[in-house]
């Protein structure tokens, strides 16, 4: 049993500021790269089995008390590339957490199980016959219980969710409360800046302290540069510990016969490409999907104050199945800085008038089931996220925008702003087709954001067409595992955090 | 030198016009901007000088070139008019300082490409307006932003980047929030108690032995 006491708050993290030696060498049973959804769950599951576990996180350790609830500051402190991670064309912001706890610290708490029709696709197209709804259900049950996942109560549906729900009911569309991993929500609306009072059940306050209670060690500021092998099997990693001023504090080697990559769907393939491993199939870094999202804002006659109350309240699942459109709509709160990114009401006075009336705005997030057309590349100096919305997916995006506009109008909105680079305002049903059909699938035209990168180390039965097996182990390198959203063979339409938790739990248990 | 300037101008215009073809820009982001500006290097300043060229940037602007400082300062005035609203005058808010801070987070390669793009934006307006962006009157400057928002990929990229930097530089300041009723950070204001770490799962053998650190 661990000699470390369970902490009531915060974590004991080895940080760059603590480093004295210039070379650190550790021995472990398992070294885990990344401390987000996959890494933290794996760490807990393996540590409680008595394994010596070391977790390496490239980002800093920011305790909850240090969260500012200032979105701009949070982008700098908690997000990958200070919030500036984008695709090669610069028109798709790929937001990922880069801190201890990873994206679970900065997400909107939304929890969907993997839709069964997605699992059926995986069984049929990727030979993942084990991954049935029945097989995964116990894992979902367990992580949902551990993370206090529940349907939003009425008090957790903010004004922006209430108006959307009313509109959906008028249209006869299926609308449901979102399920979220949160305890006693403080209704601050600042989820994307980290939950300051530790109500969001992120990895920072759940699986990481639990893993630590069983003896897992956590190192922040520690970027893994290479996965090591001996005789073709995983044998550890090499890493660099960097101070917050950018200077190198130390080099680190962790020797371990099991390596779990859980750095996220952008960083995990980069690490494999840097290491030259597990790419017999040529699929490492390929098949990138990301649920390119739009936040469609609308102006209402009455104040909404979209920054007040729980960030996300309800969702419309009427169109979730690909046969019905392949998209989901979620009501979404936002603050002033985010609001500037949503709409193009015109330059100068029109824009300032739009912002002066900010309290009358409400938003809808569109998530589409995109195809896996992107790639992550490493050129020896920089990563590249090559992704453009495919022509096959563009109609889905248009359908999602139209549905969002229709829903806003039914909810009582007077103006709907299409999130494009040019001014497009919808004031009635008659405007919808004109304003949306004339959109082009061209770079820098739609203002897209991705919170859900996936697919770059695809899971499958065929070693010539996939990177990892159903148990998370790479086909090519025994002892080398992937346990993050990289392994999802297709995009899953819905927020993927619970899927990653469940798969990581399963992978860790199969390892033992 | 004059011939060189004319030659440069011709090359710039040709490249710029090529850039209007959508297919040329399908994969162009800021890297594409850099390519155009590489062709134009050294030529822009000879096309049209500005009175602002002789004005130094303030001492705090160590992360911006003087030309970048003047561009963002002009963009602040153009993009953030407050007449007819109860919003806070952008001159009282450190907009350009905040832009500088954001740019400091860019990796060196991207920062260099962005610098090239900003130079392009400032200078290429000479072809359409007879002066650089920093010398444009507010009305034509706003029309330029709106027109470019409907333009080529390169034009949309540049206008989007400049707008987002300036907007963010303004709206991130708490002084701008009260007129909109934006609440800003609230947890401390409301006195919300910290819940701490979640207890170990019930089936955990050590759950019953939890001790506070």
């Amino acid at each position: 049993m661990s000699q470390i006491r369970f902490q009531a708050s915060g974590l004991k993290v080895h940080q760059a500021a603590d480093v004295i030696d210039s070379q650190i060498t550790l021995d472990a049973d398992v070294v885990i790269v990344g401390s987000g959804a996959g890494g933290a769950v794996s760490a807990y599951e393996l540590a409680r089995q008595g394994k010596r576990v070391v977790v390496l996180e490239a980002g800093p350790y920011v305790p909850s008390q240090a969260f500012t609830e200032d979105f701009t500051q949070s982008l700098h402190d908690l997000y990958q590339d200070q919030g500036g991670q984008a695709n090669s064309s610069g028109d798709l912001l790929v937001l990922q957490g880069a801190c201890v706890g990873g994206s679970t610290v900065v997400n909107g708490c939304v929890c969907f199980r993997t839709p069964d029709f997605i699992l059926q696709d995986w069984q049929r197209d990727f030979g993942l016959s084990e991954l049935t709804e029945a097989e995964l259900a116990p894992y979902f049950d367990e992580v949902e219980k551990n993370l206090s996942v529940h349907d939003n109560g009425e008090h957790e549906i903010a004004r922006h969710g209430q108006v959307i729900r009313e509109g959906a009911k008028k249209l006869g569309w299926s609308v449901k409360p979102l399920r979220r991993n949160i305890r006693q929500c403080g209704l601050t609306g600042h989820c994307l800046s980290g939950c300051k009072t530790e109500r969001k059940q992120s990895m920072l306050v759940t699986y990481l302290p639990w893993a630590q209670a069983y003896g897992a060690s956590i190192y922040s500021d520690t970027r893994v540069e290479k996965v090591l092998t001996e005789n073709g099997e995983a044998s550890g990693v090499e890493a660099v510990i960097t101070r917050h001023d950018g200077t190198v504090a130390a080099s680190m080697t962790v020797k371990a016969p099991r390596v779990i990559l859980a750095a996220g769907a952008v960083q995990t393939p980069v690490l494999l490409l840097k290491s030259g491993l597990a790419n017999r199939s040529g699929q490492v870094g390929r098949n990138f999907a990301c649920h390119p999202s739009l936040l469609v804002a609308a102006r209402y006659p009455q104040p909404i104050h979209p920054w007040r109350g729980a960030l996300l309240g309800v969702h419309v699942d009427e169109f979730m199945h690909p046969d019905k459109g392949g998209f989901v709509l979620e009501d979404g709160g936002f603050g002033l800085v985010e609001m500037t990114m949503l709409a193009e009401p015109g330059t100068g006075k029109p824009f300032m008038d739009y912002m002066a009336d900010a309290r009358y705005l409400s938003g809808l997030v569109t998530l589409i089931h995109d195809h896996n057309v992107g790639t992550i590349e490493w050129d020896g100096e920089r990563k590249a996220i090559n992704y453009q919305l495919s022509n096959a997916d563009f109609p889905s995006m248009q359908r999602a925008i139209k549905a969002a506009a229709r829903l806003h109008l039914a909810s009582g909105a007077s103006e709907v702003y299409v999130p494009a680079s040019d001014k497009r305002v919808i004031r009635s049903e008659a405007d919808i087709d004109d304003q949306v059909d004339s959109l082009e699938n061209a770079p820098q035209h739609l203002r897209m954001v991705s919170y859900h990168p996936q697919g770059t180390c695809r899971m499958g039965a065929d070693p010539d067409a996939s990177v990892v097996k159903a148990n998370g182990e790479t086909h090519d390198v025994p002892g080398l595992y992937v346990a993050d959203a990289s392994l999802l063979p297709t995009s899953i339409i819905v927020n993927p955090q619970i899927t990653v938790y469940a798969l990581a739990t399963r992978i860790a248990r199969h390892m033992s | 030198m004059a011939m060189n300037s004319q030659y440069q101008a011709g090359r710039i215009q040709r490249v710029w016009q090529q850039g209007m073809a959508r297919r040329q820009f399908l994969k162009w982001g800021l890297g594409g901007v850099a390519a155009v500006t590489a062709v134009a290097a050294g030529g822009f300043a000879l096309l049209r000088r500005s009175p602002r060229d002789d004005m130094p940037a303030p001492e705090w602007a160590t992360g911006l070139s003087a030309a970048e400082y003047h561009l963002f300062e002009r963009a602040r005035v153009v993009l953030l008019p407050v007449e007819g609203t109860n919003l806070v005058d952008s001159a009282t808010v450190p907009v350009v300082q905040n832009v500088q801070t954001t740019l400091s987070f860019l990796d060196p390669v991207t920062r260099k490409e962005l610098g090239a793009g900003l130079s392009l934006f400032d200078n290429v307006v000479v072809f359409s307006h007879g002066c650089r962006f920093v010398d444009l009157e507010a009305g034509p400057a706003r029309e330029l932003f709106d027109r470019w928002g409907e333009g080529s990929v390169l034009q949309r990229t540049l206008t989007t980047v400049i707008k987002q930097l300036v907007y963010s530089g303004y709206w991130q300041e708490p002084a701008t929030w009260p007129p909109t009723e934006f609440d800003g950070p609230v947890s401390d204001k409301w006195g919300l108690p910290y819940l701490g770490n979640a207890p170990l799962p019930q089936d955990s053998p050590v759950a019953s032995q939890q001790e506070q650190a």
Side-chain angles (χ1 to χ4, degrees), chain A residues 68-85:
Chain A
T68 62
E69 299 186 329
D70 175 329
F71 185 58
T72 308
Q73 187 64 45
S74 302
L75 287 173
H76 298 162
D77 294 344
L78 302 174
Y79 283 77
Q80 184 69 45
D81 299 350
Q82 286 77 38
Q85 181 172 264

PDB file of all heavy atoms in Angstrom, chain A residues 68-85:
ATOM      1  N   THR A  68      -7.891  31.460 -12.844  1.00  0.00           N
ATOM      2  CA  THR A  68      -8.259  32.880 -12.794  1.00  0.00           C
ATOM      3  C   THR A  68      -9.693  33.172 -13.214  1.00  0.00           C
ATOM      4  O   THR A  68     -10.170  34.279 -12.993  1.00  0.00           O
ATOM      5  CB  THR A  68      -7.336  33.674 -13.735  1.00  0.00           C
ATOM      6  OG1 THR A  68      -7.536  33.199 -15.073  1.00  0.00           O
ATOM      7  CG2 THR A  68      -5.881  33.508 -13.333  1.00  0.00           C
ATOM      8  N   GLU A  69     -10.342  32.229 -13.862  1.00  0.00           N
ATOM      9  CA  GLU A  69     -11.669  32.471 -14.458  1.00  0.00           C
ATOM     10  C   GLU A  69     -11.607  33.613 -15.473  1.00  0.00           C
ATOM     11  O   GLU A  69     -12.616  34.281 -15.726  1.00  0.00           O
ATOM     12  CB  GLU A  69     -12.724  32.731 -13.375  1.00  0.00           C
ATOM     13  CG  GLU A  69     -12.896  31.545 -12.431  1.00  0.00           C
ATOM     14  CD  GLU A  69     -14.036  31.710 -11.441  1.00  0.00           C
ATOM     15  OE1 GLU A  69     -14.329  32.847 -11.057  1.00  0.00           O
ATOM     16  OE2 GLU A  69     -14.625  30.672 -11.057  1.00  0.00           O
ATOM     17  N   ASP A  70     -10.453  33.822 -16.021  1.00  0.00           N
ATOM     18  CA  ASP A  70     -10.250  34.804 -17.087  1.00  0.00           C
ATOM     19  C   ASP A  70      -9.837  33.992 -18.311  1.00  0.00           C
ATOM     20  O   ASP A  70      -8.763  33.383 -18.327  1.00  0.00           O
ATOM     21  CB  ASP A  70      -9.155  35.782 -16.677  1.00  0.00           C
ATOM     22  CG  ASP A  70      -8.793  36.760 -17.790  1.00  0.00           C
ATOM     23  OD1 ASP A  70      -8.886  36.399 -18.978  1.00  0.00           O
ATOM     24  OD2 ASP A  70      -8.401  37.896 -17.456  1.00  0.00           O
ATOM     25  N   PHE A  71     -10.698  33.958 -19.337  1.00  0.00           N
ATOM     26  CA  PHE A  71     -10.482  33.023 -20.436  1.00  0.00           C
ATOM     27  C   PHE A  71      -9.164  33.294 -21.168  1.00  0.00           C
ATOM     28  O   PHE A  71      -8.427  32.357 -21.499  1.00  0.00           O
ATOM     29  CB  PHE A  71     -11.651  33.083 -21.415  1.00  0.00           C
ATOM     30  CG  PHE A  71     -11.574  32.064 -22.520  1.00  0.00           C
ATOM     31  CD1 PHE A  71     -11.515  30.716 -22.238  1.00  0.00           C
ATOM     32  CD2 PHE A  71     -11.544  32.463 -23.849  1.00  0.00           C
ATOM     33  CE1 PHE A  71     -11.436  29.767 -23.253  1.00  0.00           C
ATOM     34  CE2 PHE A  71     -11.474  31.526 -24.872  1.00  0.00           C
ATOM     35  CZ  PHE A  71     -11.413  30.179 -24.574  1.00  0.00           C
ATOM     36  N   THR A  72      -8.857  34.553 -21.397  1.00  0.00           N
ATOM     37  CA  THR A  72      -7.611  34.870 -22.109  1.00  0.00           C
ATOM     38  C   THR A  72      -6.405  34.378 -21.315  1.00  0.00           C
ATOM     39  O   THR A  72      -5.487  33.755 -21.865  1.00  0.00           O
ATOM     40  CB  THR A  72      -7.498  36.379 -22.341  1.00  0.00           C
ATOM     41  OG1 THR A  72      -8.699  36.836 -22.955  1.00  0.00           O
ATOM     42  CG2 THR A  72      -6.315  36.705 -23.223  1.00  0.00           C
ATOM     43  N   GLN A  73      -6.423  34.637 -20.024  1.00  0.00           N
ATOM     44  CA  GLN A  73      -5.318  34.184 -19.186  1.00  0.00           C
ATOM     45  C   GLN A  73      -5.268  32.661 -19.138  1.00  0.00           C
ATOM     46  O   GLN A  73      -4.188  32.057 -19.164  1.00  0.00           O
ATOM     47  CB  GLN A  73      -5.485  34.751 -17.769  1.00  0.00           C
ATOM     48  CG  GLN A  73      -4.294  34.485 -16.856  1.00  0.00           C
ATOM     49  CD  GLN A  73      -3.032  35.170 -17.351  1.00  0.00           C
ATOM     50  OE1 GLN A  73      -3.072  36.334 -17.735  1.00  0.00           O
ATOM     51  NE2 GLN A  73      -1.925  34.436 -17.373  1.00  0.00           N
ATOM     52  N   SER A  74      -6.432  32.058 -19.107  1.00  0.00           N
ATOM     53  CA  SER A  74      -6.484  30.596 -19.045  1.00  0.00           C
ATOM     54  C   SER A  74      -5.915  29.963 -20.312  1.00  0.00           C
ATOM     55  O   SER A  74      -5.251  28.927 -20.250  1.00  0.00           O
ATOM     56  CB  SER A  74      -7.928  30.121 -18.839  1.00  0.00           C
ATOM     57  OG  SER A  74      -8.463  30.675 -17.670  1.00  0.00           O
ATOM     58  N   LEU A  75      -6.194  30.576 -21.449  1.00  0.00           N
ATOM     59  CA  LEU A  75      -5.611  30.066 -22.695  1.00  0.00           C
ATOM     60  C   LEU A  75      -4.091  30.022 -22.564  1.00  0.00           C
ATOM     61  O   LEU A  75      -3.435  29.060 -22.972  1.00  0.00           O
ATOM     62  CB  LEU A  75      -6.006  30.947 -23.873  1.00  0.00           C
ATOM     63  CG  LEU A  75      -7.457  30.851 -24.363  1.00  0.00           C
ATOM     64  CD1 LEU A  75      -7.723  31.910 -25.422  1.00  0.00           C
ATOM     65  CD2 LEU A  75      -7.762  29.467 -24.925  1.00  0.00           C
ATOM     66  N   HIS A  76      -3.539  31.066 -21.999  1.00  0.00           N
ATOM     67  CA  HIS A  76      -2.081  31.134 -21.866  1.00  0.00           C
ATOM     68  C   HIS A  76      -1.554  30.116 -20.852  1.00  0.00           C
ATOM     69  O   HIS A  76      -0.494  29.535 -21.041  1.00  0.00           O
ATOM     70  CB  HIS A  76      -1.670  32.534 -21.435  1.00  0.00           C
ATOM     71  CG  HIS A  76      -2.025  33.595 -22.421  1.00  0.00           C
ATOM     72  ND1 HIS A  76      -2.072  34.924 -22.093  1.00  0.00           N
ATOM     73  CD2 HIS A  76      -2.366  33.532 -23.719  1.00  0.00           C
ATOM     74  CE1 HIS A  76      -2.427  35.626 -23.156  1.00  0.00           C
ATOM     75  NE2 HIS A  76      -2.608  34.802 -24.156  1.00  0.00           N
ATOM     76  N   ASP A  77      -2.323  29.908 -19.783  1.00  0.00           N
ATOM     77  CA  ASP A  77      -1.812  29.101 -18.668  1.00  0.00           C
ATOM     78  C   ASP A  77      -2.084  27.608 -18.813  1.00  0.00           C
ATOM     79  O   ASP A  77      -1.315  26.786 -18.315  1.00  0.00           O
ATOM     80  CB  ASP A  77      -2.478  29.543 -17.356  1.00  0.00           C
ATOM     81  CG  ASP A  77      -2.093  30.951 -16.946  1.00  0.00           C
ATOM     82  OD1 ASP A  77      -1.098  31.466 -17.481  1.00  0.00           O
ATOM     83  OD2 ASP A  77      -2.804  31.535 -16.098  1.00  0.00           O
ATOM     84  N   LEU A  78      -3.198  27.258 -19.452  1.00  0.00           N
ATOM     85  CA  LEU A  78      -3.692  25.882 -19.349  1.00  0.00           C
ATOM     86  C   LEU A  78      -3.787  25.147 -20.681  1.00  0.00           C
ATOM     87  O   LEU A  78      -4.006  23.936 -20.692  1.00  0.00           O
ATOM     88  CB  LEU A  78      -5.089  25.881 -18.704  1.00  0.00           C
ATOM     89  CG  LEU A  78      -5.204  26.505 -17.307  1.00  0.00           C
ATOM     90  CD1 LEU A  78      -6.665  26.560 -16.863  1.00  0.00           C
ATOM     91  CD2 LEU A  78      -4.389  25.704 -16.303  1.00  0.00           C
ATOM     92  N   TYR A  79      -3.671  25.853 -21.791  1.00  0.00           N
ATOM     93  CA  TYR A  79      -3.956  25.238 -23.087  1.00  0.00           C
ATOM     94  C   TYR A  79      -2.682  24.996 -23.901  1.00  0.00           C
ATOM     95  O   TYR A  79      -1.677  25.691 -23.739  1.00  0.00           O
ATOM     96  CB  TYR A  79      -4.878  26.147 -23.901  1.00  0.00           C
ATOM     97  CG  TYR A  79      -6.338  26.114 -23.481  1.00  0.00           C
ATOM     98  CD1 TYR A  79      -6.773  26.784 -22.347  1.00  0.00           C
ATOM     99  CD2 TYR A  79      -7.281  25.402 -24.212  1.00  0.00           C
ATOM    100  CE1 TYR A  79      -8.113  26.770 -21.963  1.00  0.00           C
ATOM    101  CE2 TYR A  79      -8.625  25.377 -23.836  1.00  0.00           C
ATOM    102  CZ  TYR A  79      -9.031  26.063 -22.711  1.00  0.00           C
ATOM    103  OH  TYR A  79     -10.355  26.033 -22.344  1.00  0.00           O
ATOM    104  N   GLN A  80      -2.779  24.022 -24.789  1.00  0.00           N
ATOM    105  CA  GLN A  80      -1.676  23.718 -25.703  1.00  0.00           C
ATOM    106  C   GLN A  80      -1.351  24.934 -26.559  1.00  0.00           C
ATOM    107  O   GLN A  80      -2.240  25.594 -27.091  1.00  0.00           O
ATOM    108  CB  GLN A  80      -2.083  22.543 -26.612  1.00  0.00           C
ATOM    109  CG  GLN A  80      -0.995  22.067 -27.548  1.00  0.00           C
ATOM    110  CD  GLN A  80       0.143  21.386 -26.808  1.00  0.00           C
ATOM    111  OE1 GLN A  80      -0.089  20.570 -25.932  1.00  0.00           O
ATOM    112  NE2 GLN A  80       1.374  21.722 -27.167  1.00  0.00           N
ATOM    113  N   ASP A  81      -0.088  25.219 -26.678  1.00  0.00           N
ATOM    114  CA  ASP A  81       0.401  26.370 -27.460  1.00  0.00           C
ATOM    115  C   ASP A  81      -0.290  27.667 -27.020  1.00  0.00           C
ATOM    116  O   ASP A  81      -0.617  28.529 -27.848  1.00  0.00           O
ATOM    117  CB  ASP A  81       0.180  26.145 -28.962  1.00  0.00           C
ATOM    118  CG  ASP A  81       0.922  24.934 -29.484  1.00  0.00           C
ATOM    119  OD1 ASP A  81       1.752  24.389 -28.740  1.00  0.00           O
ATOM    120  OD2 ASP A  81       0.656  24.521 -30.623  1.00  0.00           O
ATOM    121  N   GLN A  82      -0.515  27.790 -25.748  1.00  0.00           N
ATOM    122  CA  GLN A  82      -1.152  28.987 -25.177  1.00  0.00           C
ATOM    123  C   GLN A  82      -2.477  29.310 -25.875  1.00  0.00           C
ATOM    124  O   GLN A  82      -2.856  30.475 -26.033  1.00  0.00           O
ATOM    125  CB  GLN A  82      -0.222  30.204 -25.242  1.00  0.00           C
ATOM    126  CG  GLN A  82       0.921  30.191 -24.255  1.00  0.00           C
ATOM    127  CD  GLN A  82       2.045  29.279 -24.675  1.00  0.00           C
ATOM    128  OE1 GLN A  82       2.367  29.185 -25.839  1.00  0.00           O
ATOM    129  NE2 GLN A  82       2.634  28.604 -23.711  1.00  0.00           N
ATOM    130  N   GLY A  83      -3.176  28.272 -26.290  1.00  0.00           N
ATOM    131  CA  GLY A  83      -4.470  28.457 -26.941  1.00  0.00           C
ATOM    132  C   GLY A  83      -4.365  28.739 -28.421  1.00  0.00           C
ATOM    133  O   GLY A  83      -5.392  28.940 -29.079  1.00  0.00           O
ATOM    134  N   GLY A  84      -3.165  28.713 -28.958  1.00  0.00           N
ATOM    135  CA  GLY A  84      -2.985  29.056 -30.372  1.00  0.00           C
ATOM    136  C   GLY A  84      -2.786  27.861 -31.284  1.00  0.00           C
ATOM    137  O   GLY A  84      -2.405  28.028 -32.447  1.00  0.00           O
ATOM    138  N   GLN A  85      -3.051  26.651 -30.798  1.00  0.00           N
ATOM    139  CA  GLN A  85      -2.841  25.473 -31.649  1.00  0.00           C
ATOM    140  C   GLN A  85      -3.902  25.457 -32.757  1.00  0.00           C
ATOM    141  O   GLN A  85      -5.107  25.441 -32.488  1.00  0.00           O
ATOM    142  CB  GLN A  85      -2.941  24.207 -30.819  1.00  0.00           C
ATOM    143  CG  GLN A  85      -2.720  22.933 -31.628  1.00  0.00           C
ATOM    144  CD  GLN A  85      -2.642  21.701 -30.759  1.00  0.00           C
ATOM    145  OE1 GLN A  85      -1.569  21.245 -30.404  1.00  0.00           O
ATOM    146  NE2 GLN A  85      -3.796  21.140 -30.400  1.00  0.00           N
TER     147      GLN A  85
END
